[in-house]
Amino acid sequence: MAQQPATPAPYHTGMLSNDTPRERERLEAIQRNVDAFTTGILQDLPLQGSWHCLELGAGAGSIAYWLAERCPKGRVVAVDLDTRRLDAGRAANLEIQQADITSDGYAPGSFDLIHARYLYCHLPTRDAMVERATRWLAPGGWLVIEEPYHLLAETSPFPTVQRILAAYQHMYRENGADMTWARSLPSLLARSGLAEVSFTGNLGCMGGLDKDRWRPLIAQAAPALLAEGLVTETDLGEFSALLDDPAFIDIPQITVSAWGRRPTQLPAAPAAS
């Protein structure tokens, strides 16, 4: 289990910082609410126990651990800018790497499966990184990318949510993220040379009591949103009250999951005329 040299993270401060006290809570909320959807997609692939897998932006590690269990004769490389929440001891075939994939990379044809979730929307060269990841696939290998598509804040039926989401989305844009980029994923996979491209979506839930995953997200973002004057303490209090209301349910985003397979053979070049 190799440990690679660290590279600087782009999110040093603010609501996207790896050092915020609520970062683990945010990551675990994502895992609780999205893992079943993600593993359902991965299980529908012809997953084999000997596969070599790459988990990009591994976060708190749940998908990397899941893959390590299902590919016991292969290996799983879990890479992230910040690996302090990953446990290399969870599996003998698990390798933890701390790296920046926009500057570091892998040899062509290294992996049978590459998966990323909620990563690409934050990358400055996200389109190019899709094409780059396809080159890391072995012939017949699969690339699976899952990204959020945020619905317009003003379309929420709740004025408080409109204000909170508008502020939240503004801060992401200011940090270079594109929360509507997911719509382009299927086309990007196809243009990058992948075949059997398919996609699906998972509606996000705000509210619904124990179904909610937005309380930790907004709680983590709150100090930065307040400091920038984008929300008030009253807004946050009203939002918290909504989350405590059993009748409150909203749909703030859709997770778009798209996947494709690298052809086992490249198309034949057209004959010269």
Side-chain angles (χ1 to χ4, degrees):
M1 298 177 217
Q3 191 81 17
Q4 300 299 317
T7 55
Y11 299 139
H12 294 294
T13 61
M15 74 178 194
L16 300 180
S17 171
N18 294 314
D19 293 321
T20 57
R22 294 180 178 269
E23 177 63 2
R24 175 171 285 278
E25 184 181 354
R26 182 187 74 86
L27 293 172
E28 291 178 348
I30 291 172
Q31 292 181 166
R32 284 194 306 273
N33 288 273
V34 190
D35 274 6
F37 176 70
T38 295
T39 55
I41 290 169
L42 298 177
Q43 285 180 137
D44 284 343
L45 301 179
L47 195 64
Q48 298 180 23
S50 60
W51 274 13
H52 289 199
C53 306
L54 175 63
E55 177 69 7
L56 298 172
S62 61
I63 299 302
Y65 304 150
W66 185 91
L67 287 170
E69 289 180 359
R70 281 152 184 81
C71 302
K73 296 181 180 179
R75 69 172 178 137
V76 176
V77 177
V79 60
D80 205 299
L81 285 166
D82 186 337
T83 60
R84 76 187 86 172
R85 297 170 185 88
L86 295 170
D87 179 7
R90 287 288 292 263
N93 60 335
L94 176 65
E95 180 178 334
I96 306 299
Q97 294 183 355
Q98 186 161 327
D100 179 354
I101 63 164
T102 62
S103 58
D104 303 315
Y106 299 92
S110 297
F111 299 99
D112 302 294
L113 170 67
I114 299 174
H115 173 259
R117 186 173 68 189
Y118 300 166
L119 168 69
Y120 274 77
C121 64
H122 300 289
L123 302 179
T125 55
R126 54 188 73 91
D127 286 16
M129 285 303 303
V130 171
E131 184 177 0
R132 190 176 181 208
T134 65
R135 297 197 293 269
W136 301 338
L137 289 172
W142 293 87
L143 174 61
V144 182
I145 300 178
E146 305 183 275
E147 293 296 329
Y149 184 94
H150 278 202
L151 303 180
L152 292 173
E154 60 264 30
T155 62
S156 171
F158 304 95
T160 299
V161 174
Q162 292 178 18
R163 295 192 295 273
I164 293 289
L165 280 182
Y168 188 80
Q169 292 169 1
H170 172 82
M171 287 293 287
Y172 267 97
R173 288 193 299 271
E174 289 296 297
N175 281 274
D178 185 344
M179 309 308 284
T180 62
W181 175 81
R183 184 171 179 172
S184 66
L185 259 175
S187 180
L188 281 170
L189 294 179
R191 292 206 311 267
S192 297
L194 298 186
E196 302 178 52
V197 172
S198 191
F199 58 92
T200 190
N202 182 33
L203 295 176
C205 181
M206 176 185 283
L209 298 180
D210 60 344
K211 296 178 182 178
D212 173 75
R213 82 170 180 89
W214 280 79
R215 190 188 296 271
L217 303 188
I218 300 303
Q220 183 192 46
L225 299 179
L226 288 168
E228 293 293 325
L230 297 172
V231 299
T232 65
E233 291 283 4
T234 299
D235 292 328
L236 294 172
E238 291 176 355
F239 182 67
S240 180
L242 278 175
L243 293 177
D244 292 334
D245 180 356
F248 169 65
I249 301 174
D250 199 2
I251 304 169
Q253 74 175 39
I254 301 167
T255 296
V256 176
S257 299
W259 58 94
R261 188 176 195 178
R262 180 181 171 184
T264 54
Q265 292 183 332
L266 295 176
S273 57

